[in-house]
Amino acid sequence: MNSSSCIGISTMKPCCRIIISYRSFSHFGVSLSRSNNNSVIHTNLSKSHPKSVYNHEFHCCNNRSWSQDTGHKCTVNLDRRGFNVCDWNWGHARGFSSGFLVDKGSSSRGVLVIPKVASDIRNHSTSVEGHVNKKGFESIYIQGGLNPSVIEKIETESDAAKEGKEETSSNRVEINGSKVNTNFFEGLNESTTPKVVEREVSKIEKEAWQLLRSTIVNYCGNPVGTVAANDPADRQPLNYDQVFIRDFVPSALAFLLNGEMEIVKNFLLHTLQLQSWEKTVDCYSPGQGLMPASFKVKTVPLDGSDGGFEEVLDPDFGESAIGRVAPVDSGLWWIILLRAYGKITGDYALQERVDVQTGIRLGLNLCLSDGFDMFPTLLVTDGSCMIDRRMGIHGHPLEIQALFYSALRCAREMLIVNDGTKNLVAAINNRLSALSFHIREYYWVDMRKINEIYRYNTEEYSTDAVNKFNIYPDQIPSWLVDWIPEEGGYLIGNLQPAHMDFRFFTLGNLWAIVTSLGTSKQNEGILNLIEARWDDLMGHMPLKICYPALEYEEWRIITGSDPKNTPWSYHNGGSWPTLLWQFTLACIKMGKPELARKAVALAETRLSMDQWPEYYDTRSGRFIGKQSRLFQTWTISGFLTSKMLLENPDKASLLFLEEDYELLEICVCALSKTGRKKCSRFAARSQIHV
């Protein structure tokens, strides 16, 4: 291990501040220097290029230390044990060092303060404006609390050239006293007929924007996320007053599509700082690279001061969750959102930063680590994703596999390939090839496949077995026989030895379309099924999180008689409006935006009137969920994101992934040695229609 290429951050047991020993830094390649007013820890990540070292100091609140006047200080409460990342080629021909402000506590210890990460480091990224293409078409979004209107402006190229000389560097102009962003949506279309058309934003959209902005959480004066719900009448918010990674994704997309980048960038950087390894149940520490499920900004008294206080970021890695399960999907969503940020803003420098590249690699290493599992799918327990309660999804649930596939493809696109990452990229390619084949071949069911399973032989022992997972035909549920249409199909919820979960899980199927996890024919089949079974999956409020619900004895055994997941409620067949934005993406990709418009219009008639609930109950989604939080943030942002994606399909195209034909050339099977009759390369290619 080369200590000169290590990054070390040492923390101790949970506390409001991170207490570290000066002497302990010698173990992590860290040298300590002192000044009269404070102590600064310098971490040298590379010594190969000392002349190009970047120095970053994380100070409190706009680079100011604790003020005697305000008694206020900002701190990140990592509450994590020490970590180090070694033997790393950072991918840039430059060194990197970070200075952390440390308040003197005594001669033997100090307080590690990592506040407002985005404030300093973002100065080293390229600006968003530099990546904007100036063309004839502009959509001008009024920047304000309610986003009252959108002005679509079409001008000739000659007019644009004249006005381009007068534009400011930020491309903002004054209209009726308001700052207007003219960057966004430039270049979507061109016209030689000059005209100005003003489109009034609907009343419900104005309300949604106002509610979304009211959920913004600030840390050291900067926006860092949105709370899960903001119901003023809720006296027991539980953890709904925290910023969840998965919940923030539709909020982030809404802000990005509206030309507001700062909150998303801050969120990505702050959650990256919280990426760590937390002691959970019985003091067991999971692997490196775990992302928290959520975090909360807390204000705590400042030690040794009279009336002083400090802000800390307090993450939850599952140790406070109802089931005490660490989140698997948080790190996957973080990678997906990081790519979306670069695609929409053009600020790819954020992805290329050393700390961000490190975070991507740590997250992937956690997912790609070897284990006893023989499948390319990711093995997880119940409660590790959006369905965070016992619902019988332990094993290899489709939702996690679709997000896993998406995160792998996004990470491969963003990773800087060099000697330190080439093996990781090769592992990603192999896993992607095997994973896509596995899902397409074994998770897909349509009428033909159901007939095949119905005639399965069991107890087959050979590499030539047709029924590889020993599925018993009696597992085919009675509801499925008449439910699956002649033209259409879907990906089942789970697959394990002697077990196929035939429930339709909406998020996994939609994300399989968005990321091209399924073939083009399968993607069309999924939308055909949704259209054919519209009343079951949409009803009075889109969309069912899964179908059908577990009932009677099955509900009692599988959920443990969960009083919240009763039949047709919450995760057990409830309707979740936040899934609208993913349905919209899938429809736009498959050339069926009219289906998304139909679903959005259906939701628009009720959401505002019902005060934006988290979910709806009953088979058709007629009732507001019995324990549903009102003014749920991802219900609000999911609606806004869906509206903006439908209005700007070119922006939507930046978010989904097309079929990667190079993956189909990667064969992970040794046919001549194992006797396999089919491998991922040939089986997958046979299903592609060019």
Side-chain angles (χ1 to χ4, degrees):
M1 182 176 70
N2 183 5
S3 62
S4 65
S5 60
C6 299
I7 175 173
I9 297 181
S10 177
T11 65
M12 290 182 64
K13 62 183 180 180
C15 60
C16 295
R17 291 160 293 147
I18 298 116
I19 308 301
I20 55 175
S21 171
Y22 290 159
R23 295 180 180 178
S24 65
F25 277 83
S26 61
H27 299 290
F28 301 100
V30 177
S31 61
L32 183 66
S33 62
R34 297 186 178 182
S35 64
N36 295 330
N37 298 325
N38 53 56
S39 300
V40 179
I41 302 169
H42 294 283
T43 306
N44 189 2
L45 301 183
S46 175
K47 296 181 179 179
S48 58
H49 298 276
K51 295 183 179 180
S52 58
V53 169
Y54 280 68
N55 292 306
H56 302 297
E57 288 195 8
F58 299 95
H59 296 280
C60 297
C61 300
N62 299 323
N63 295 330
R64 291 178 299 174
S65 58
W66 175 65
S67 170
Q68 294 288 347
D69 297 330
T70 62
H72 182 274
K73 183 167 67 175
C74 305
T75 311
V76 175
N77 181 15
L78 298 181
D79 289 351
R80 309 291 166 251
R81 65 186 179 86
F83 74 87
N84 55 73
V85 183
C86 300
D87 195 20
W88 174 264
N89 190 326
W90 296 103
H92 281 185
R94 68 182 186 214
F96 185 96
S97 68
S98 299
F100 302 95
L101 178 64
V102 179
D103 290 336
K104 286 174 123 181
S106 66
S107 58
S108 61
R109 68 177 189 176
V111 180
L112 178 61
V113 181
I114 314 177
K116 205 164 70 65
V117 177
S119 63
D120 256 0
I121 292 187
R122 66 166 171 261
N123 295 329
H124 300 285
S125 298
T126 58
S127 62
V128 175
E129 289 78 13
H131 297 272
V132 176
N133 295 323
K134 298 178 175 61
K135 292 186 179 180
F137 182 92
E138 297 177 339
S139 289
I140 304 174
Y141 267 62
I142 305 297
Q143 302 297 309
L146 301 181
N147 278 17
S149 64
V150 177
I151 301 174
E152 294 180 354
K153 179 181 178 183
I154 303 177
E155 57 191 6
T156 62
E157 293 183 2
S158 59
D159 292 338
K162 294 177 182 178
E163 292 183 9
K165 297 178 181 179
E166 300 175 5
E167 285 182 340
T168 62
S169 59
S170 61
N171 285 335
R172 290 181 181 269
V173 296
E174 291 280 341
I175 293 184
N176 295 331
S178 300
K179 286 289 185 179
V180 179
N181 185 352
T182 61
N183 270 343
F184 190 56
F185 298 141
E186 285 186 347
L188 293 185
N189 197 0
E190 293 184 359
S191 174
T192 58
T193 304
K195 63 179 180 179
V196 177
V197 180
E198 183 173 348
R199 183 186 68 83
E200 285 292 334
V201 174
S202 65
K203 182 178 179 181
I204 187 175
E205 288 179 77
K206 294 178 183 179
E207 177 189 348
W209 273 112
Q210 183 179 29
L211 292 172
L212 179 59
R213 296 191 189 284
S214 69
T215 66
I216 292 177
V217 174
N218 288 291
Y219 173 65
C220 292
N222 294 305
V224 293
T226 53
V227 294
N230 190 29
D231 184 0
D234 188 1
R235 297 183 178 180
Q236 291 182 326
L238 299 178
N239 58 352
Y240 283 82
D241 61 349
Q242 298 186 22
V243 180
F244 281 80
I245 289 184
R246 79 171 69 93
D247 291 41
F248 181 69
V249 172
S251 297
L253 293 178
F255 286 124
L256 289 175
L257 291 171
N258 197 42
E260 302 175 47
M261 293 73 170
E262 181 186 8
I263 184 173
V264 183
K265 188 172 186 178
N266 291 345
F267 172 85
L268 289 168
L269 290 172
H270 278 290
T271 49
L272 175 63
Q273 292 295 322
L274 297 175
Q275 183 187 37
S276 189
W277 315 271
E278 171 65 13
K279 294 181 179 179
T280 55
V281 179
D282 294 334
C283 301
Y284 177 73
S285 299
Q288 299 177 352
L290 182 67
M291 279 285 186
S294 62
F295 66 86
K296 185 175 183 179
V297 178
K298 290 185 176 181
T299 302
V300 298
L302 187 62
D303 293 344
S305 66
D306 185 13
F309 63 92
E310 59 186 349
E311 285 185 348
V312 298
L313 292 180
D314 185 23
D316 178 12
F317 284 78
E319 67 270 23
S320 300
I322 293 175
R324 301 301 190 267
V325 177
V328 176
D329 62 338
S330 292
L332 306 178
W333 277 122
W334 185 86
I335 292 175
I336 294 168
L337 180 58
L338 178 65
R339 175 187 179 271
Y341 174 86
K343 284 289 185 178
I344 295 176
T345 67
D347 182 13
Y348 294 103
L350 180 66
Q351 305 171 1
E352 298 168 359
R353 286 175 34 157
V354 175
D355 52 345
V356 174
Q357 289 283 310
T358 305
I360 296 173
R361 177 174 175 172
L362 289 177
L364 293 180
N365 285 338
L366 180 63
C367 295
L368 296 172
S369 59
D370 294 332
F372 288 100
D373 197 22
M374 296 290 289
F375 303 145
T377 44
L378 204 57
L379 179 63
V380 299
T381 186
D382 248 336
S384 59
C385 54
M386 180 181 176
I387 299 178
D388 57 3
R389 301 169 75 92
R390 179 179 169 187
M391 268 290 290
I393 65 169
H394 57 277
H396 307 86
L398 177 65
E399 175 179 333
I400 290 294
Q401 312 317 318
L403 293 175
F404 182 38
Y405 181 82
S406 177
L408 288 176
R409 288 197 59 181
C410 291
R412 186 186 62 170
E413 183 179 310
M414 294 184 293
L415 276 173
I416 298 173
V417 182
N418 51 46
D419 291 339
T421 60
K422 61 182 181 181
N423 290 336
L424 178 60
V425 173
I428 291 173
N429 284 328
N430 288 335
R431 192 63 167 266
L432 283 170
S433 176
L435 181 61
S436 62
F437 166 70
H438 187 87
I439 297 295
R440 293 175 177 185
E441 182 73 8
Y442 302 123
Y443 277 61
W444 177 255
V445 291
D446 52 14
M447 188 57 71
R448 182 195 64 80
K449 186 68 174 181
I450 295 297
N451 271 281
E452 180 183 321
I453 297 173
Y454 184 72
R455 296 172 54 84
Y456 265 169
N457 293 321
T458 58
E459 315 304 325
E460 294 180 305
Y461 181 82
S462 73
T463 57
D464 299 328
V466 175
N467 186 4
K468 293 180 175 62
F469 298 92
N470 202 34
I471 303 299
Y472 301 107
D474 289 344
Q475 289 185 21
I476 300 176
S478 57
W479 62 267
L480 182 61
V481 178
D482 296 322
W483 191 74
I484 194 165
E486 290 290 338
E487 296 295 330
Y490 66 100
L491 298 170
I492 62 173
N494 212 329
L495 175 65
Q496 297 185 81
H499 173 66
M500 294 182 76
D501 187 345
F502 286 98
R503 286 176 293 175
F504 177 88
F505 286 86
T506 303
L507 192 151
N509 275 276
L510 293 180
W511 212 244
I513 297 175
V514 172
T515 62
S516 295
L517 176 56
T519 66
S520 58
K521 185 177 180 180
Q522 290 172 348
N523 294 341
E524 292 175 3
I526 294 171
L527 285 187
N528 288 341
L529 179 139
I530 293 176
E531 191 171 10
R533 297 293 175 254
W534 188 269
D535 291 340
D536 292 332
L537 300 176
M538 299 293 182
H540 289 83
M541 175 57 65
L543 283 115
K544 280 273 178 279
I545 190 172
C546 68
Y547 183 91
L550 301 172
E551 298 182 288
Y552 309 114
E553 193 69 9
E554 190 178 29
W555 164 78
R556 187 185 67 82
I557 294 173
I558 293 180
T559 72
S561 302
D562 188 344
K564 194 169 185 178
N565 275 334
T566 53
W568 305 107
S569 178
Y570 202 47
H571 298 139
N572 190 15
S575 299
W576 292 69
T578 186
L579 295 173
L580 272 174
W581 72 271
Q582 298 175 77
F583 179 63
T584 301
L585 265 183
C587 290
I588 292 175
K589 181 182 179 184
M590 300 307 298
K592 294 185 176 182
E594 67 280 358
L595 286 180
R597 291 192 183 95
K598 182 180 177 181
V600 171
L602 182 63
E604 194 167 4
T605 61
R606 293 190 59 187
L607 287 178
S608 177
M609 179 178 60
D610 295 339
Q611 297 183 313
W612 308 91
E614 180 182 19
Y615 64 95
Y616 287 77
D617 285 352
T618 73
R619 183 186 290 267
S620 61
R622 297 194 68 179
F623 293 167
I624 298 174
K626 58 186 176 183
Q627 296 187 42
S628 175
R629 292 301 198 278
L630 301 180
F631 301 102
Q632 186 79 16
T633 304
W634 66 353
T635 297
I636 299 167
S637 58
F639 167 76
L640 286 173
T641 299
S642 299
K643 295 283 285 188
M644 287 190 284
L645 289 173
L646 286 171
E647 292 171 4
N648 304 279
D650 287 350
K651 291 293 180 181
S653 66
L654 300 175
L655 300 176
F656 49 70
L657 298 165
E658 299 291 352
E659 178 73 84
D660 186 349
Y661 295 100
E662 291 184 3
L663 280 178
L664 306 181
E665 301 295 332
I666 302 174
C667 180
V668 295
C669 305
L671 296 179
S672 60
K673 295 182 180 180
T674 64
R676 292 188 179 95
K677 300 299 183 181
K678 190 181 292 184
C679 74
S680 62
R681 177 178 60 185
F682 301 111
R685 289 185 65 184
S686 66
Q687 301 185 57
I688 300 299
H689 303 278
V690 181

